[in-house]
Amino acid sequence: MDLQKTDVLVIGAGAVGAMALWQLSKREGISVVGIEQYGRVHSHGSYAGESRVFRTAVHEGGTYVRMIQRSRDLWRELEAESGRDIYYEVGALSIAPEGFPDLVTALGTVREFDLPHRVLNDSELRKEYPQHRIQDGDIGLLDAHGGGLRPEVAVMSALDIAEANGAKLFFNTPVIGIEERADGVVVRTTQGSWLAQKVVVASGSWSTRLSPELNDLLRLQVLGLTWFMPRDPAAFAPDRFPAFLRDAGPVHFFGAPSFDGYAFKACTNPEWPVFRDVTEVPTSHTREELIKIGQRASELFEGINPEPVRQSVHHCAYTPDRLPVVDRSASGRVITLTGLSGHGFKFIPQLGEWAAQLVAGDETTVDSRFALPEHMKRLAEPGPYTGGGH
């Protein structure tokens, strides 16, 4: 078998893979290759969909705050290096009834980490954010460092910089399998095989196909995205309308301001089951689902047309407790990053930096709970898979 050779090979050039390639390409004296089964910046992965919410006041508690703070710095670095706007720091506004558990946790997070924020009562919310239909007793938490991220722009920027730094990228090249050997890792693709000293597996929802050991851990959950056209689009522009999370009874919405000038993103997910493989995931909302989502949106937002002007359906690999997998094989040759569980795009720059550090054998700040053996220990404990994503 005729093998092409490289020092480091990254499988997957989506969100995490692009960040890993960006960081690895900065390292002196190593050759870097990226392999992607689809084209450059495609619509099939978990990251697609124009915008993602960036939050530091996370309702998942303090686990992610340091990761997000580091990622905030790296988002700015990526913007500076690429010359593109990626991170719109317009704030992230969480609205829920007073005492709502996620909001209570987020309030605890901002106070524990001294994050810049404001707390607004229902009267203040109605006055300052009339785009939202506010219920009596609602409170708002405005995360000053929150906002919107442009995922496709981010991935394109990271790949462009990696390539300019010397990384070789191959698209429309599915990976068939990987095999660790004494002299390195063989990566077989539809366009030939490679021998790499280190491999970073960043294949998202396709991770179980290359890493069977993840089969018991990961499940695919569906993420549905919808956009609505307001009668006054200017009111939903980034300078007037922060990214948001809304909770009203059993209804949870999340979204972002209008980046296209005519529609804003407001999403809630139907009761979709979990799946084991990408081929099982639906590719669109049903008509009935869209009608229901539109009705719910019109109950939460003022002056919008309840018919979505755009919609798309995506998927993401979830772990039971929604902690990501950041792991290195026993040999140290294969680094796996997966299981972002619907809320990981905001901290992918940190994952990319960790990938480069793990490849080099540097010290990292990776939480020990992210290691695969720790995940498998927790998997033995009973508990449901949970859903939702921003």
Side-chain angles (χ1 to χ4, degrees):
M1 180 170 56
D2 186 20
L3 296 174
Q4 303 177 78
K5 295 182 179 180
T6 185
D7 293 323
V8 186
L9 189 146
V10 177
I11 300 174
V16 177
M19 296 298 145
L21 286 161
W22 172 42
Q23 292 294 329
L24 285 162
S25 73
K26 297 172 180 282
R27 301 268 174 158
E28 295 289 340
I30 63 169
S31 55
V32 180
V33 167
I35 295 180
E36 166 60 47
Q37 64 175 325
Y38 293 108
R40 187 190 299 258
V41 190
H42 56 79
S43 62
H44 304 284
S46 303
Y47 68 86
E50 183 192 69
S51 59
R52 287 291 182 273
V53 177
F54 182 83
R55 299 175 291 132
T56 60
V58 289
H59 62 235
E60 294 89 353
T63 301
Y64 300 108
V65 173
R66 297 303 182 206
M67 296 168 62
I68 292 168
Q69 289 177 321
R70 175 57 181 156
S71 292
R72 181 171 176 264
D73 293 338
L74 290 170
W75 283 124
R76 291 303 189 206
E77 285 184 23
L78 183 59
E79 286 186 314
E81 291 183 27
S82 67
R84 294 172 175 147
D85 293 329
I86 298 169
Y87 167 34
Y88 289 74
E89 196 172 76
V90 297
L93 179 63
S94 297
I95 301 173
E98 188 170 5
F100 186 77
D102 285 352
L103 191 55
V104 170
T105 303
L107 284 165
T109 299
V110 297
R111 289 163 182 157
E112 177 185 355
F113 291 91
D114 194 26
L115 303 174
H117 69 283
R118 290 180 60 208
V119 178
L120 299 90
N121 62 30
D122 50 10
S123 297
E124 292 168 324
L125 285 168
R126 290 188 181 106
K127 180 180 178 181
E128 296 187 36
Y129 300 106
Q131 306 91 334
H132 291 273
R133 293 181 184 268
I134 302 300
Q135 303 298 314
D136 291 343
D138 279 349
I139 62 170
L141 171 60
L142 181 65
D143 174 4
H145 285 171
L149 295 166
R150 304 299 303 274
E152 288 88 351
V153 180
V155 172
M156 177 68 83
S157 298
L159 294 178
D160 285 353
I161 295 169
E163 207 164 34
N165 288 343
K168 295 180 179 179
L169 308 182
F170 298 86
F171 298 98
N172 300 304
T173 305
V175 172
I176 301 168
I178 58 178
E179 176 190 358
E180 287 199 57
R181 302 192 325 195
D183 58 342
V185 184
V186 174
V187 178
R188 293 183 293 111
T189 82
T190 56
Q191 307 297 323
S193 298
W194 289 82
L195 177 66
Q197 293 308 300
K198 300 284 181 67
V199 168
V200 175
V201 181
S203 49
S205 295
W206 292 265
S207 297
T208 55
R209 293 185 181 182
L210 297 178
S211 306
E213 64 272 17
L214 296 171
N215 272 314
D216 291 334
L217 181 66
L218 298 182
R219 297 292 182 274
L220 300 187
Q221 294 205 19
V222 185
L223 305 175
L225 308 180
T226 42
W227 288 259
F228 295 89
M229 181 161 54
R231 289 182 171 81
D232 179 13
F236 290 79
D239 60 342
R240 295 174 60 184
F241 186 69
F244 64 87
L245 283 75
R246 288 290 309 267
D247 287 282
V251 178
H252 173 74
F253 264 80
F254 62 93
S258 174
F259 289 114
D260 59 20
Y262 83 99
F264 77 106
K265 187 179 187 178
C267 317
T268 189
N269 287 311
E271 294 298 320
W272 280 308
V274 297
F275 299 96
R276 299 298 294 267
D277 191 81
V278 175
T279 57
E280 303 170 351
V281 176
T283 57
S284 177
H285 296 85
T286 66
R287 184 73 202 130
E288 292 73 22
E289 288 166 350
L290 289 175
I291 291 171
K292 180 180 265 189
I293 292 169
Q295 290 171 340
R296 289 176 172 173
S298 64
E299 294 169 2
L300 294 179
F301 303 98
E302 291 283 358
I304 69 164
N305 180 26
E307 177 68 22
V309 291
R310 279 192 287 148
Q311 65 90 22
S312 58
V313 171
H314 308 270
H315 43 77
C316 191
Y318 277 65
T319 64
D321 55 14
R322 299 186 67 187
L323 295 177
V325 176
V326 181
D327 195 61
R328 183 165 46 189
S329 66
S331 69
R333 291 188 181 276
V334 179
I335 291 91
T336 301
L337 303 102
T338 188
L340 273 60
S341 301
H343 59 192
F345 190 86
K346 64 182 74 68
F347 55 73
I348 58 169
Q350 173 71 95
L351 296 180
E353 185 175 61
W354 280 344
Q357 291 168 344
L358 289 167
V359 164
D362 297 344
E363 291 291 324
T364 76
T365 58
V366 178
D367 192 313
S368 61
R369 294 175 297 167
F370 299 170
L372 183 57
E374 294 301 312
H375 275 284
M376 301 312 290
K377 287 179 185 177
R378 295 193 299 273
L379 186 64
E381 304 170 3
Y385 278 76
T386 56
H390 315 129

